[in-house]
Amino acid sequence: MAEDYGCVTLSDEDSEDDAHSHPHRQPTELQGTVSKWTNYIHGWQNRYMVLKDGTMSYYRNQNETAFGCRGSISVKKAHVKPHEIDECRFDVCLNDCVWYLRTATEEEKHQWVDAIEQHRHESDGLRRHGSAISLTSNTLSTTSGSSIKKSKGLREKLCEVDTYRDILIRQMDALQSYFDACAETAKDLKNEEATCNGDELEQEIGVEAAVAAVEGGPSVESPQTQRKKFPQHPHITKDILLKHGMYALDFRGEALTFKATTVGILTTLSHCVEVMNQREESFKRRLEREAEKRRRLEDELLNLADNSPQEASGPRRVMVMGGPDFEEGPHSVIGEDEFFDAVESALDKMDEEEEFRERLRQKQLSAPRKPAATHPLWPQIEKLTMEQLGYAQQGVEGGVWQLFAEEGEMKMYRRELEEDGLVVDPLKAVHQVRGATAHEMVHHFWSPDVRFEWDTSIEQMTVLDRISSDTIIFLQLHKRVWPTAQRDALFWSHVRKIPSSHPANGEAYDTWIVCNQSTDHPDDPKDEKCVRVDLTVCFVCQTFIDPPIQEGKEITRDNLLTKITYCSVVNPGGWAPASVLRAVYKREYPKFLKRFTQYVVEKCESQPIAFSGLTIKDHSKHWRG
């Protein structure tokens, strides 16, 4: 597939005939599956690559080519760098963008490298060819062709538009003067009974010659001589001038319209330039602040390293960051010292976590058990739980809520809301399942000892405090989804049964609620590397006996129908595009609710029916996924 194609390049002296006599062949179009390095979390992933028209694009697989590529890079100015050790690897570099690629065989690598080089050479030949045409053609302006493709600033483009406008206005003025002259000539021809055959001209010249002979003045040229000196235009007749000159177009009006249009365009472009300058200044200030923050952190790190006795006696620890070459493997470029330092840093972090958990355990064992009502957070817990219960009982009518996902009995609604540029859309989901009670649902949603069985987004979880048997303060560290920063959440979680006399219970057999709310705690380790999530969540479940049981018979799981209402308001913190967050919510929330309810039904189907009494079995203070 890798063939050596010739490419015609024309210099300024080459003619168009040379260009037509040596037509160039199109470069190779290549497509296939290639491994691409994504990030440290996912490593190498197979991607479907397409090289066409000087652009290299990739898709997750071949079936997704009709839905748009996941990324693309122009190979016209990129350079290919084969790996020095791995014979199947090559890197495509364009400025700061680097694609690390690996093929299955060495032959495939050569095919891709050769094809990319062909596209690069083809782009060079086309640029030179376009330059030659622009020099030899008298219908193209000096700024067309390859000069427009050059990278120019917006202000320079604005000046070019202004120049074009002046040129066109001068052309309009010239055309207007021509048509004015035609109109004046036609008017004179209509008023005077003149012809275009030149008889009156000869009479006037004869009279002038006679007068000059009598008075002894200079001689007058004969009509034949003047006709030769000032040749006539027999094809421009009086009829033509009278027919077209009297109805000449109003080019002056057209010119005024064109001038007004170009003024509007220039004004709009000037506004665009001003807006871009303002944003440029904003980004510059932000970059300066980040650079200053980084400089301070680097200074602090150097001071700590200089003051550390361990560092004073040994070499400075270096943290290595980079592409796939900086990972474990036969082609790793990490030295033994750097590799040891990285492993030692991870082990030190694990020791610190173990010490933190031990401090929490000792503190909770030594602290006397107090009633929950005396805890400082209890008034907030009591008030917010009842407010969220009423909020969950409200309907979704009135056009405020938008239905964004529906699958079977599950419906999910949202209200679009942003705070300080962050998406904090309130969400509400209604669902119903068979085979489990409300108590079983809320227990598995609240209990920390089973959370890792259904919540795959958590990396580790710590119980910072136990306010009561039904109220716990959690610290959850969520898995990082590249390229976003890692998130954690600190919140209290309260579970309770709603009394049967409460209006919210209605016709249900029983009603349970779990309420989560972000809070603060003195034992919070406050990891600066994580972005803190602010959340308010309520999970309300009601058990209904449907169909009703006959007198004297026991309730079976076939008679259990649980109606679920899930409400949440989550502020993810940090910064992320609003469209991306809403797309993730639309995809993940329905999957979460469906996965969780299915998990509870399957886990409880072989267990006795529990309307109450389920408790935490694992009283560990720390869980790791």
Side-chain angles (χ1 to χ4, degrees):
M1 184 175 292
E3 300 177 3
D4 188 11
Y5 290 95
C7 177
V8 176
T9 59
L10 298 179
S11 63
D12 294 339
E13 294 80 14
D14 291 333
S15 64
E16 293 184 1
D17 295 335
D18 295 334
H20 291 295
S21 61
H22 299 283
H24 61 275
R25 300 174 63 185
Q26 294 296 329
T28 303
E29 295 183 2
L30 195 59
Q31 53 188 2
T33 302
V34 178
S35 296
K36 181 178 181 297
W37 174 264
T38 55
N39 50 64
Y40 281 102
I41 298 177
H42 301 290
W44 293 96
Q45 297 290 332
N46 287 336
R47 295 291 183 257
Y48 189 76
M49 295 283 177
V50 176
L51 178 60
K52 183 179 181 181
D53 298 333
T55 302
M56 192 172 186
S57 309
Y58 76 91
Y59 308 81
R60 176 175 288 183
N61 51 58
Q62 188 175 2
N63 298 329
E64 293 188 0
T65 54
F67 303 104
C69 66
R70 289 180 166 265
S72 62
I73 188 172
S74 175
V75 300
K76 296 179 180 179
K77 296 183 179 180
H79 67 274
V80 185
K81 180 182 178 182
H83 198 266
E84 298 178 355
I85 303 176
D86 194 345
E87 297 179 351
C88 297
R89 254 196 62 187
F90 64 98
D91 304 336
V92 182
C93 309
L94 178 61
N95 298 331
D96 295 335
C97 180
V98 181
W99 284 11
Y100 304 101
L101 306 175
R102 175 186 287 162
T103 58
T105 63
E106 186 178 357
E107 289 75 12
E108 292 183 11
K109 183 196 78 170
H110 290 310
Q111 291 178 0
W112 283 100
V113 172
D114 293 342
I116 293 174
E117 291 296 335
Q118 291 176 17
H119 281 264
R120 288 185 59 213
H121 296 158
E122 172 68 13
S123 64
D124 294 339
L126 289 177
R127 282 196 294 271
R128 289 190 286 270
H129 185 70
S131 176
I133 293 177
S134 64
L135 290 175
T136 57
S137 175
N138 54 8
T139 60
L140 298 177
S141 67
T142 57
T143 57
S144 64
S146 61
S147 62
I148 290 181
K149 299 178 182 178
K150 295 180 180 178
S151 176
K152 295 185 178 181
L154 191 56
R155 287 191 179 276
E156 188 174 351
K157 290 294 183 183
L158 189 60
C159 294
E160 289 183 4
V161 174
D162 198 6
T163 303
Y164 297 152
R165 174 178 175 270
D166 294 339
I167 294 173
L168 289 174
I169 289 175
R170 288 197 297 268
Q171 293 176 346
M172 289 291 183
D173 293 337
L175 289 172
Q176 182 65 45
S177 63
Y178 170 74
F179 281 104
D180 289 344
C182 291
E184 291 296 332
T185 304
K187 186 185 299 183
D188 294 340
L189 289 175
K190 187 176 183 181
N191 295 334
E192 302 175 4
E193 296 296 327
T195 62
C196 297
N197 53 16
D199 294 339
E200 294 183 2
L201 177 63
E202 293 180 358
Q203 295 175 3
E204 293 178 359
I205 295 175
V207 173
E208 292 179 359
V211 173
V214 172
E215 297 179 353
S219 62
V220 178
E221 297 178 348
S222 64
Q224 291 78 7
T225 305
Q226 291 194 12
R227 189 173 289 111
K228 291 180 181 179
K229 188 173 183 180
F230 303 101
Q232 303 297 314
H233 299 280
H235 59 279
I236 302 178
T237 64
K238 177 181 178 181
D239 294 337
I240 293 177
L241 289 175
L242 289 176
K243 182 178 179 181
H244 298 286
M246 297 299 294
Y247 304 99
L249 292 176
D250 184 13
F251 250 73
R252 192 174 301 280
E254 297 293 334
L256 291 175
T257 303
F258 178 78
K259 292 177 183 178
T261 304
T262 54
V263 168
I265 294 174
L266 291 174
T267 304
T268 304
L269 291 177
S270 300
H271 178 69
C272 293
V273 171
E274 188 67 26
V275 172
M276 292 184 67
N277 287 336
Q278 293 177 0
R279 296 196 64 181
E280 182 180 7
E281 293 297 328
S282 174
F283 284 123
K284 282 183 178 179
R285 290 193 297 269
R286 186 181 300 178
L287 180 61
E288 290 174 357
R289 290 196 297 269
E290 293 296 331
E292 180 64 22
K293 185 186 299 184
R294 177 176 178 178
R295 187 188 61 79
R296 290 198 302 266
L297 292 176
E298 289 177 350
D299 293 341
E300 294 178 1
L301 181 61
L302 291 176
N303 292 333
L304 292 175
D306 294 338
N307 298 330
S308 174
Q310 179 181 356
E311 295 295 338
S313 59
R316 180 175 298 174
R317 179 173 298 178
V318 179
M319 298 304 296
V320 179
M321 299 296 292
D325 293 324
F326 298 93
E327 64 169 354
E328 180 181 359
H331 308 303
S332 177
V333 298
I334 305 178
E336 294 184 3
D337 295 337
E338 290 82 1
F339 200 97
F340 173 76
D341 290 339
V343 174
E344 189 179 26
S345 298
L347 295 176
D348 291 343
K349 184 178 180 181
M350 295 175 62
D351 293 339
E352 293 175 358
E353 293 176 356
E354 183 64 30
E355 294 176 1
F356 171 69
R357 294 195 298 269
E358 182 63 22
R359 289 198 304 270
L360 286 179
R361 189 180 69 84
Q362 295 296 334
K363 181 178 180 180
Q364 294 182 12
L365 289 177
S366 60
R369 183 64 60 183
K370 297 181 181 180
T374 62
H375 196 278
L377 289 176
W378 186 254
Q380 179 192 17
I381 296 172
E382 182 70 22
K383 178 182 177 181
L384 188 65
T385 301
M386 301 314 296
E387 287 179 353
Q388 290 296 313
L389 178 62
Y391 179 71
Q393 295 295 316
Q394 296 177 3
V396 293
E397 298 80 10
V400 178
W401 294 92
Q402 302 176 6
L403 178 66
F404 72 91
E406 182 176 5
E407 183 178 350
E409 299 294 339
M410 179 179 61
K411 296 181 179 180
M412 306 202 78
Y413 304 85
R414 74 178 178 195
R415 289 189 295 112
E416 292 192 357
L417 180 64
E418 295 187 16
E419 293 182 359
D420 299 329
L422 288 176
V423 175
V424 291
D425 295 350
L427 299 175
K428 177 177 284 190
V430 292
H431 191 30
Q432 60 183 29
V433 295
R434 288 189 172 275
T437 65
H439 178 61
E440 292 169 340
M441 283 288 175
V442 298
H443 171 75
H444 289 85
F445 185 82
W446 173 79
S447 178
D449 59 351
V450 295
R451 187 164 301 177
F452 278 103
E453 297 180 6
W454 59 269
D455 193 346
T456 58
S457 66
I458 302 176
E459 182 173 312
Q460 65 183 36
M461 178 177 56
T462 304
V463 176
L464 293 183
D465 197 359
R466 295 182 184 272
I467 299 177
S468 64
S469 60
D470 56 11
T471 308
I472 298 176
I473 297 180
F474 291 100
L475 174 63
Q476 287 185 171
L477 180 64
H478 294 269
K479 296 177 181 177
R480 184 190 177 196
V481 180
W482 189 89
T484 61
Q486 194 167 25
R487 259 73 175 174
D488 64 358
L490 176 61
F491 60 94
W492 55 258
S493 184
H494 174 68
V495 59
R496 72 166 57 177
K497 180 180 180 181
I498 305 302
S500 57
S501 58
H502 195 279
N505 201 54
E507 299 179 357
Y509 184 85
D510 61 358
T511 302
W512 290 77
I513 182 175
V514 175
C515 186
N516 300 339
Q517 172 66 37
S518 294
T519 185
D520 296 322
H521 196 273
D523 293 332
D524 178 16
K526 295 181 180 179
D527 189 353
E528 298 295 337
K529 297 180 180 179
C530 295
V531 177
R532 180 61 51 88
V533 176
D534 186 81
L535 58 86
T536 301
V537 176
C538 77
F539 187 72
V540 180
C541 297
Q542 293 180 299
T543 306
F544 292 86
I545 308 301
D546 182 35
I549 60 172
Q550 298 179 0
E551 186 177 355
K553 291 189 176 181
E554 295 183 354
I555 299 176
T556 64
R557 293 200 174 272
D558 295 334
N559 303 113
L560 299 178
L561 175 65
T562 299
K563 295 185 177 180
I564 302 169
T565 303
Y566 173 84
C567 305
S568 69
V569 180
V570 179
N571 186 336
W575 181 91
S579 59
V580 174
L581 288 176
R582 290 193 172 105
V584 172
Y585 292 165
K586 183 177 180 180
R587 169 186 169 180
E588 294 300 324
Y589 270 101
K591 291 169 57 179
F592 142 73
L593 191 57
K594 183 179 179 180
R595 181 174 61 247
F596 169 73
T597 54
Q598 186 66 27
Y599 156 78
V600 176
V601 171
E602 292 176 355
K603 187 167 184 178
C604 297
E605 62 182 356
S606 60
Q607 303 294 328
I609 298 176
F611 292 99
S612 62
L614 295 179
T615 59
I616 299 176
K617 298 179 181 179
D618 184 3
H619 290 271
S620 302
K621 300 297 183 297
H622 190 83
W623 290 264
R624 181 181 293 274

